Amino acid sequence: MCLGLSGSQDLFAQSVTFKTNDYTVGASPFSVLAADIFGTGRPAIITANQADDTATVLGNFGNGTFASNAIYKVSSSPRAIVAADVNRDGKLDLISVGISTTTILTNHNSGMFVSNATVNAGGYSAIAFDLNGNGKSDLIIGGSSTVTVFTNNGSGTLGLSATLPVSGVAAMAAADVNFDGKLDLLVANQNPGENGNVVIFTNSGSGSLISNATYVAGPSLRSLAVADINNDGYTDFIAGSAFGYPTSSLSIWTNNGSGLFGSNTTVAVARSCASIAAADFNGDGWTDLVALDSSDRPGIVSVVTNSSAGFGDYFTIVAGAEPVALAMADFNGDSKPDLVLGNTGTNVTVLLNSTQFLSPPLNIFSPTDGRLVVYWRNPAPDSVLQATTNLANPNWFTVTNGRPIQGVTLSNTSPVLFFRLISK
């Protein structure tokens, strides 16, 4: 087993820092995926390698380092790869979408895959989720003019269910945008010759996707992400323009709670935004954005931090080699979002988030019944609430209710306590 590790380095950019390592994969990893295919609780890295028609699996040692595990032959010119439990055996399978056909790799014996089916359809992007609420993962493939839906019979066979007209799929995402308990589909279209748009297909619950609304979101769309940007509990979407000079842009659309979106703001990033990741990268409780610029060698990653005052100016870090793909996961179990870049060539770059998260401020609320509520919002990873009755001679003890908590309610007969929130 070859580790395939080249020089490690630290990358610093304002309030977010990363440690990087490179790992060897197949030729031209056009799509990269992070998924727990071994059932260990540690996400592996899987790449769809366009130039040699293979999929590479990198196993995770648990500390954020990886080793080559296996290489699998897949359909010609793979453009996307997704993980889903296709045959409902409790193990994640892999689906590699090529330019004209799709390969299903069934997971046997915790991470060893066997090609057991081919779907006579291909495309440029793909997503898998339970569309009709029957507990089986369905597959949606995005092509140049259509979105094709394949429903799962539960035994690993995917059958054509519907074809929806679009205008050049660049990226797709799934989220319950109207809060009816069903995942809906968002499709970002490049729409050649015109401004790109994002189409919302709402889920009927029985497997039908209905075009609900279309939002013009900028020229040459190439990337899409969903996240709660403004901390109101509703899922918003972010669309990235593919090309711009000297900068490109991210268009942020906020959800009113019923699945209708309004353009909230546009933030600048480095040009050629190929992919977007949305997560709290600096531990302040607000969703930040990372955008991948695929036009430069070495690669450029733009980081835009978010706060109660909105987004600040972007800053960049140099990583990878003209990367074309991006995936996000917690690779080393520290509860911080990490990244992996699929580079032009034969390797990927892993960026481990080494940012020092700060504990959030505590808030105190006194209901009219005399109780005391101590709470905090979006705590840092592994934060612990402690209390003491005497600051002069403190004997701090941990306050817990047996599960991760974001607050504690004290009765009016409790002794006077002083609180602090610390990170392990």
Side-chain angles (χ1 to χ4, degrees):
M1 224 180 248
C2 175
L3 184 62
L5 171 65
S6 62
S8 175
Q9 61 176 320
D10 293 338
L11 299 179
F12 302 92
Q14 290 190 8
S15 60
V16 179
T17 61
F18 295 96
K19 295 180 180 294
T20 74
N21 285 310
D22 293 341
Y23 298 90
T24 301
V25 294
S28 298
F30 194 85
S31 178
V32 62
L33 166 71
D36 181 17
I37 58 175
F38 295 99
T40 60
R42 305 189 298 265
I45 294 173
I46 308 98
T47 61
N49 308 310
Q50 184 181 8
D52 60 10
D53 304 334
T54 63
T56 301
V57 175
L58 297 177
N60 186 348
F61 287 114
N63 59 356
T65 60
F66 296 83
S68 178
N69 177 267
I71 299 174
Y72 299 94
K73 196 70 176 177
V74 295
S75 299
S76 176
S77 189
R79 298 299 185 92
I81 192 160
V82 296
D85 183 6
V86 176
N87 56 1
R88 301 185 72 188
D89 63 354
K91 299 187 288 287
L92 287 177
D93 309 302
L94 296 175
I95 305 170
S96 175
V97 178
I99 195 65
S100 58
T101 57
T102 295
T103 302
I104 300 175
L105 297 171
T106 304
N107 189 344
H108 292 279
N109 300 322
S110 300
M112 298 302 296
F113 292 85
V114 176
S115 177
N116 80 335
T118 300
V119 177
N120 191 27
Y124 303 101
S125 60
I127 191 169
F129 63 94
D130 180 9
L131 180 60
N132 51 13
N134 63 358
K136 306 167 187 175
S137 294
D138 307 304
L139 175 67
I140 300 174
I141 297 177
S144 58
S145 60
T146 59
V147 167
T148 308
V149 180
F150 295 88
T151 53
N152 186 351
N153 68 358
S155 62
T157 301
L158 299 171
L160 177 62
S161 171
T163 300
L164 308 173
V166 291
S167 54
V169 179
M172 297 186 290
D176 181 8
V177 300
N178 55 0
F179 297 90
D180 63 355
K182 300 181 287 287
L183 286 176
D184 309 301
L185 178 68
L186 296 85
V187 178
N189 297 297
Q190 292 179 340
N191 207 14
E194 303 177 28
N195 275 332
N197 58 50
V198 174
V199 180
I200 311 296
F201 291 94
T202 52
N203 187 348
S204 68
S206 60
S208 298
L209 292 169
I210 303 166
S211 180
N212 176 269
T214 299
Y215 300 92
V216 177
S220 301
L221 292 189
R222 190 173 174 185
S223 50
L224 179 69
V226 291
D228 180 8
I229 291 297
N230 54 1
N231 275 342
D232 63 356
Y234 305 136
T235 301
D236 312 308
F237 75 80
I238 310 99
S241 296
F243 299 102
Y245 188 84
T247 63
S248 188
S249 62
L250 300 179
S251 176
I252 299 168
W253 295 73
T254 52
N255 189 342
N256 70 355
S258 61
L260 297 177
F261 295 84
S263 180
N264 176 266
T265 188
T266 299
V267 297
V269 293
R271 65 186 184 274
S272 185
C273 179
S275 188
I276 308 168
D280 182 7
F281 285 92
N282 58 5
D284 66 352
W286 291 85
T287 299
D288 310 306
L289 298 175
V290 167
L292 175 65
D293 175 12
S294 62
S295 65
D296 288 293
R297 179 180 289 272
I300 293 178
V301 176
S302 298
V303 180
V304 189
T305 54
N306 190 11
S307 70
S308 58
F311 288 97
D313 294 335
Y314 78 94
F315 53 88
T316 60
I317 57 179
V318 176
E322 206 170 354
V324 296
L326 169 70
M328 178 177 65
D330 177 12
F331 289 124
N332 55 0
D334 64 356
S335 300
K336 300 176 184 178
D338 307 310
L339 301 171
V340 56
L341 312 179
N343 297 315
T344 299
T346 58
N347 68 2
V348 296
T349 299
V350 175
L351 290 82
L352 297 179
N353 190 342
S354 57
T355 309
Q356 182 63 49
F357 281 18
L358 300 177
S359 296
L362 284 172
N363 302 281
I364 299 177
F365 170 66
S366 297
T368 56
D369 59 6
R371 293 178 300 157
L372 185 68
V373 180
V374 180
Y375 67 97
W376 61 97
R377 185 174 185 173
N378 296 323
D382 299 321
S383 58
V384 174
L385 180 65
Q386 295 183 334
T388 185
T389 58
N390 185 0
L391 287 177
N393 185 20
N395 180 24
W396 293 97
F397 57 91
T398 298
V399 178
T400 179
N401 61 0
R403 66 180 190 277
I405 57 174
Q406 286 187 250
V408 60
T409 301
L410 303 175
S411 70
N412 53 15
T413 61
S414 299
V416 175
L417 294 176
F418 302 92
F419 294 94
R420 70 181 181 184
L421 194 65
I422 65 171
S423 295
K424 292 181 180 178

